[in-house]
């Protein structure tokens, strides 16, 4: 258990509204990641962070932004939600190893109507 | 962009049977991980393989890394209902990111 919590766990919103998802970790891990999981696509990386205020894009970053003002918190924002962003979102942290082993949070199920 | 292909995509077998799932790439991994995910939860790391030809065992699960480090397999002996879940392989290509396969959804029928 890497002490990762995500909030909210479920959210329903309407197209065009802003949405922020929060990931909180208690292990003081440097790296944090946001993924989305969709049927037939597996886990796809949205954005990741390698330190406070240090972030980079993943393979599906369009329409998403992130912020990391503290080691323990990594926020994912959908500036104007679209139906294509309906998904399950997972946060992960990276263990202190050479092999990029990751610990995942419980996920947030987001529905955009 | 590195791609990982997992096969089969779905597998449903009777309790007590053996099974193997596969993870393949055209690129060389620096290491590879297997995760299991249960409904409503995040993936959980099962094992990391690093060396070509490496074999690791976790109770009834046997993980093998290909000699060329481009493929891996997961073999389950005498499957049990508790093995039901989504099995994901993830390749580490030596950078800060993992590339995940699309997964094998395994159902064990009692």
């Amino acid at each position: 258990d890497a002490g990762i919590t995500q909030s909210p766990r479920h959210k329903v919103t309407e197209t065009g509204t802003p949405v922020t998802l929060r990931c909180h970790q208690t292990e003081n891990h440097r790296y944090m990641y946001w993924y989305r999981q969709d049927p037939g696509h597996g886990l796809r990386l949205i954005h990741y962070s390698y330190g406070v205020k240090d972030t980079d894009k993943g393979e599906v970053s369009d329409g998403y932004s992130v912020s990391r003002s503290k080691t323990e918190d990594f926020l994912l924002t959908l500036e104007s939600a679209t139906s294509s962003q309906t998904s399950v979102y997972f946060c992960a942290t990276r263990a202190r190893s050479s092999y990029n082993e990751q610990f995942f949070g419980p996920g947030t199920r987001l529905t955009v109507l | 962009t590195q791609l990982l292909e997992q096969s089969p995509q779905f597998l449903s077998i009777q309790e007590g049977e053996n099974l193997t799932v596969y993870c393949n790439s055209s690129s060389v991994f620096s290491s590879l991980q297997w995760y299991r995910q249960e409904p409503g939860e995040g993936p959980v790391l099962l094992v990391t393989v690093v060396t070509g030809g490496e074999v690791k065992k976790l109770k009834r699960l046997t993980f093998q890394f290909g000699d060329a480090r481009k493929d891996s397999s997961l073999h389950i002996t005498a499957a049990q209902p508790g093995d039901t879940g989504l099995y994901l392989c993830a390749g580490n290509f030596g950078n800060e990111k993992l590339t995940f396969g699309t997964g094998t959804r395994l159902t064990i029928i009692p």
Side-chain angles (χ1 to χ4, degrees):
Chain A
D1 182 5
I4 302 170
T5 57
Q6 293 185 232
S7 59
R9 293 294 313 278
H10 302 271
K11 185 171 182 66
V12 179
T13 191
E14 294 188 350
T15 299
T17 60
V19 176
T20 295
L21 308 182
R22 179 178 183 249
C23 177
H24 179 79
Q25 57 130 339
T26 59
E27 298 296 315
N28 202 36
H29 286 163
R30 177 184 170 195
Y31 283 83
M32 298 184 74
Y33 301 81
W34 276 108
Y35 294 90
R36 60 179 289 174
Q37 187 173 38
D38 305 288
H41 290 279
L43 282 162
R44 293 182 291 174
L45 182 64
I46 305 171
H47 282 280
Y48 69 102
S49 170
Y50 47 96
V52 172
K53 297 186 179 179
D54 292 323
T55 64
D56 205 350
K57 296 179 180 180
E59 63 178 300
V60 289
S61 59
D62 287 348
Y64 302 94
S65 62
V66 290
S67 66
R68 192 162 177 210
S69 59
K70 298 185 290 185
T71 298
E72 57 266 35
D73 290 326
F74 192 30
L75 304 181
L76 176 70
T77 297
L78 291 64
E79 300 290 347
S80 177
T82 68
S83 58
S84 65
Q85 292 176 313
T86 292
S87 187
V88 181
Y89 291 86
F90 288 98
C91 172
T93 64
R94 173 178 163 178
R96 295 183 187 90
S97 78
S98 302
Y99 307 125
N100 203 353
E101 294 158 334
Q102 296 186 8
F103 300 106
F104 285 82
T108 294
R109 182 172 295 276
L110 176 67
T111 302
V112 183
L113 301 176
Chain B
T1 302
Q2 297 94 350
L3 296 176
L4 270 70
E5 294 183 355
Q6 286 189 245
S7 61
Q9 188 175 358
F10 300 94
L11 184 59
S12 182
I13 64 170
Q14 295 287 333
E15 181 177 358
E17 294 183 350
N18 302 331
L19 66 106
T20 303
V21 300
Y22 300 92
C23 176
N24 295 284
S25 174
S26 58
S27 301
V28 176
F29 306 109
S30 60
S31 62
L32 183 137
Q33 297 153 25
W34 285 93
Y35 292 80
R36 180 168 63 205
Q37 184 179 18
E38 300 189 14
E41 300 180 6
V44 175
L45 179 67
L46 296 174
V47 76
T48 299
V49 286
V50 179
T51 306
E54 182 177 5
V55 177
K56 283 192 173 179
K57 292 191 175 183
L58 186 65
K59 297 183 180 178
R60 294 175 293 99
L61 278 61
T62 301
F63 304 86
Q64 186 159 6
F65 203 14
D67 291 340
R69 303 200 338 264
K70 291 184 176 181
D71 58 271
S72 181
S73 63
L74 159 59
H75 182 78
I76 300 179
T77 302
Q80 298 179 2
D83 296 326
T84 292
L86 178 66
Y87 288 81
L88 296 161
C89 65
N92 180 14
F93 293 97
N95 56 28
E96 298 166 311
K97 298 173 279 189
L98 287 178
T99 299
F100 282 84
T102 52
T104 293
R105 190 166 297 280
L106 175 64
T107 302
I108 308 302
I109 303 166

